[in-house]
């Protein structure tokens, strides 16, 4: 909290000359209305709102560049805003400034079906992209749950339920258009599948969370829609058996498309919220992609593996509507858990470990939650070692919040000690900043800071996120 307080103390009102220039530039797409600022000063994290001084709605890369150039001239913070679904405080305006809303940058610029690529403006959402390319026989697989914007997904290096098969935004972003901190427009990368030409600027900006520049266009990989898709669910009395079943499945090389773990608390929550009747035990939800024979073979192997780990109630979901019902329930788990403690606020955190250490990390985290009397759920994209702890707290109870943050800190330290990471997909934002030194070491953080200073010498790009200035 000291970091937030220190930065808030440095907040200065934006110069009137800047506000006037932005109004002249964008007309009705410039707003200082409280309701608009409030909407852009909050996300899905547990933090209280932190409002920008103004909001602008850009429609082109050139408009973003003009806004950033004006903000640079007046040394005023710039906070890129996509869908507002981030979980670690990424879009909060710690020092006020100008929120650049990119949702109107929602055009598909090019679909190269023969090359399996698409170039989109940053405000295009993943569902929009898949809807517009469905007739091409292709799809974009990265699925973080929320209908996030592609630009925001690149900025946070998002992944999600399909990452075990298709990777994260790191592997699926080929090129970017970025507005730098002084208002220049640069292109990083090409549509070529590989390149050894110079520094990899694309990978520097992917995951930079708006602290180095504003991503305005993204070129992503597409994939052929699978010939066959099937899903299955099974339950376990012991969560360790569930996790060990996944570990063995991965080690056998079964190319599963998705495998999600919900503990008994998560299952109880989605049963109530989504009107399901799943056994209230630890549950695995699998999805298989491929040819008819390939999917059948994968599923048969997995069925044998989970049986060896004492699974019960193995059921198929081959109809699209059945699969959709299960995955919709899984994606709504966050909102479902909130209903278990009305009036509460969720502290949601994640980590990622080598898959051989996954069961140990999850069991220790569950034990810690139980010992601290938390209302919680453990949910994970366990095929790649990534899991989430969602803890419900009374937003007015400082001790309750402190207990949850203690569980979070111990979970992250546990993961780092296992040669894992403090965040597999949420990103750093505000919430995970203090863990970066523990994970990377002082010298690596100094290198990151030097990069920030070089790319953003005035410290106007989403200041106060990832690393301290």
């Amino acid at each position: 909290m000291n970091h937030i307080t220190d930065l808030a103390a440095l907040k200065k009102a934006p110069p009137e000359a800047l506000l006037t220039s932005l109004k002249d530039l964008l007309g009705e797409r410039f707003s200082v209305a409280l309701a608009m600022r409030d909407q852009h000063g909050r996300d899905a994290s547990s933090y209280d709102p932190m409002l920008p001084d103004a909001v602008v709605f850009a429609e082109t890369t050139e408009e973003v560049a003009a806004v950033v150039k004006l903000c640079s001239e007046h040394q005023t913070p710039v906070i890129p805003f996509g869908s507002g679904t981030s979980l670690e405080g990424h879009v909060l305006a710690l020092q006020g400034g100008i929120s650049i809303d990119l949702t109107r940058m929602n055009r598909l610029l090019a679909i190269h079906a023969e090359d399996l690529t698409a170039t989109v403006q940053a405000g295009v959402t993943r569902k929009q992209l898949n809807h517009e390319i469905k007739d091409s026989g292709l799809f974009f697989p990265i699925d973080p749950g929320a209908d996030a914007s592609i630009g925001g997904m690149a900025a946070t290096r998002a992944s999600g339920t399909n990452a075990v098969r298709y990777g994260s935004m790191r592997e699926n972003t080929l090129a970017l258009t970025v507005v730098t901190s002084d208002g220049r427009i640069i292109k990083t990368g090409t549509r070529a599948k590989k390149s050894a030409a110079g520094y990899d600027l694309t990978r520097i900006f992917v995951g930079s969370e708006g602290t180095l520049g504003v991503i305005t266009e993204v070129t992503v990989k597409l994939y052929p829609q699978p010939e066959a898709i099937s899903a299955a669910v099974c339950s376990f009395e012991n969560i360790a058996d569930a996790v060990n079943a996944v570990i063995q499945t991965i080690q056998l090389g079964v190319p599963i498309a998705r495998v999600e773990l919900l503990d008994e608390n998560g299952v109880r929550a989605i049963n109530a919220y989504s009107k399901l009747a799943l056994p209230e035990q630890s549950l695995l939800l699998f999805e298989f992609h491929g040819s008819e024979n390939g999917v059948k073979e994968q599923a048969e192997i997995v069925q044998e593996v989970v049986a060896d780990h004492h699974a019960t109630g193995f059921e198929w979901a081959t109809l699209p509507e059945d699969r959709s019902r299960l995955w919709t329930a899984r994606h709504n788990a966050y909102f479902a858990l909130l209903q278990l403690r009305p009036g509460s606020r969720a502290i949601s955190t994640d980590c990622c470990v080598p898959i051989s250490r996954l069961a140990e990390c999850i069991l220790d985290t569950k034990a810690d939650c139980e010992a601290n009397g938390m209302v919680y759920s453990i949910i994970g994209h366990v095929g790649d070692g990534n899991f989430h702890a969602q803890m419900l707290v009374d937003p007015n109870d400082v001790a309750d919040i402190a207990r949850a943050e203690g569980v979070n800190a111990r979970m992250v330290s546990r993961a780092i000690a296992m040669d894992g990471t403090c965040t597999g997909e949420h990103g750093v934002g505000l919430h995970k900043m203090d863990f970066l030194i523990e994970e990377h070491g002082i010298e690596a953080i100094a290198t990151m800071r030097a990069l920030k200073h070089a790319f953003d010498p005035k410290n106007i790009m989403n200041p106060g996120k990832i690393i301290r200035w």
Side-chain angles (χ1 to χ4, degrees), residues 32-108:
V32 293
L34 178 60
M36 189 65 69
R37 292 166 49 224
D38 181 73
Q39 178 186 338
H40 289 77
R42 62 175 71 234
D43 58 12
S45 72
S46 60
Y47 290 103
D48 292 329
M50 302 178 201
L51 276 56
D53 295 296
V55 178
V56 299
F57 293 85
E59 295 180 352
T60 66
T61 295
E62 289 71 23
E63 285 186 346
V64 173
V67 170
V68 173
K69 186 173 183 180
L70 285 168
C71 289
S72 176
E73 291 171 356
H74 293 280
Q75 298 193 40
T76 298
V78 172
I79 305 95
F81 188 94
S83 299
T85 54
S86 54
L87 290 162
E88 304 290 357
H90 298 84
V91 302
L92 305 184
L94 275 71
Q95 293 179 278
I98 309 301
S99 175
I100 302 182
D101 187 308
L102 302 166
T103 56
R104 297 190 186 187
M105 294 184 65
N106 58 2
R107 292 190 297 119
L108 273 67

Side-chain angles (χ1 to χ4, degrees), residues 166-447:
Y166 298 100
S168 70
M169 287 299 288
R170 179 181 65 184
E171 292 79 30
N172 286 282
T173 302
L174 293 171
L176 302 169
T177 299
V178 178
V179 173
T180 65
S181 67
D182 56 359
R184 289 175 296 122
I185 299 170
I186 64 171
K187 306 275 189 180
T188 75
T190 68
R191 291 193 302 109
K193 292 297 184 182
K194 61 182 181 180
S195 172
Y199 297 127
D200 192 346
L201 293 178
T202 302
R203 298 299 174 273
I204 290 175
F205 283 105
V206 170
S208 63
E209 301 180 10
T211 63
L212 303 179
V214 182
I215 296 171
T216 60
E217 296 175 10
V218 188
T219 298
V220 295
K221 295 179 183 178
L222 303 177
Y223 295 80
Q225 294 175 13
E227 174 188 336
I229 300 175
S230 182
V233 294
C234 55
S235 300
F236 300 79
E237 287 189 15
N238 186 331
I239 195 169
D241 285 339
V243 177
N244 287 326
V246 175
I247 292 172
Q248 185 178 351
T249 299
I250 298 300
Q251 290 172 342
L252 287 171
V254 181
I256 50 176
R258 299 200 266 195
V259 55
E260 294 290 291
L261 168 74
L262 287 84
D263 72 356
E264 67 282 2
N265 300 325
V267 175
R268 186 180 310 117
I270 68 169
N271 273 347
Y273 187 82
S274 299
K275 305 298 187 290
L276 299 178
L278 297 166
E280 293 185 355
Q281 300 175 321
S282 296
L283 176 140
L284 289 178
L285 174 56
F286 292 93
E287 189 167 278
F288 310 98
H289 293 180
S291 65
E292 293 284 356
N293 289 335
V295 164
K296 183 175 182 290
E297 181 182 1
Q298 293 171 41
E300 288 173 348
I301 294 172
V302 168
Q303 189 168 4
E304 291 179 8
V305 170
V306 299
D308 289 343
H309 289 84
H310 317 296
T312 59
F314 193 94
E315 294 184 11
W316 297 101
T318 54
L319 295 176
E321 56 268 30
D322 292 336
R323 293 198 310 272
S324 177
R325 187 180 77 256
L326 287 170
W327 285 112
T328 299
R330 161 61 187 94
H331 286 323
N332 287 336
Y334 174 88
F335 304 103
L337 191 68
L338 287 173
Q339 306 307 309
L340 297 183
R341 190 177 181 184
S344 64
R345 179 182 293 176
I347 292 179
S348 183
T349 183
D350 82 315
C351 67
C352 189
V353 296
I355 195 166
S356 63
R357 306 298 300 275
L358 181 61
E360 178 185 356
C361 197
I362 288 178
L363 287 170
D364 287 349
T365 301
K366 278 188 72 69
D368 200 1
C369 287
E370 294 287 347
N372 283 275
M374 306 307 303
V375 179
Y376 75 98
S377 176
I378 300 290
I379 296 175
H381 317 311
V382 286
D384 52 16
N386 182 205
F387 72 93
H388 306 257
Q390 186 175 327
M391 297 169 281
L392 303 185
V393 299
D394 180 345
N396 300 311
D397 187 337
V398 175
D400 199 18
I401 295 171
R403 282 192 296 273
E405 291 295 356
V407 171
N408 172 46
R410 289 186 291 275
M411 182 185 88
V412 167
S413 292
R414 191 177 299 121
I416 292 171
M418 294 176 175
D419 205 16
T421 177
C422 67
T423 175
E425 61 183 13
H426 283 193
V428 176
L430 286 171
H431 201 204
K432 295 292 180 73
M433 288 178 63
D434 290 337
F435 302 116
L436 287 189
I437 293 178
E438 185 178 354
E439 179 171 334
H440 295 293
I442 292 175
E443 294 305 323
I445 298 302
T447 302

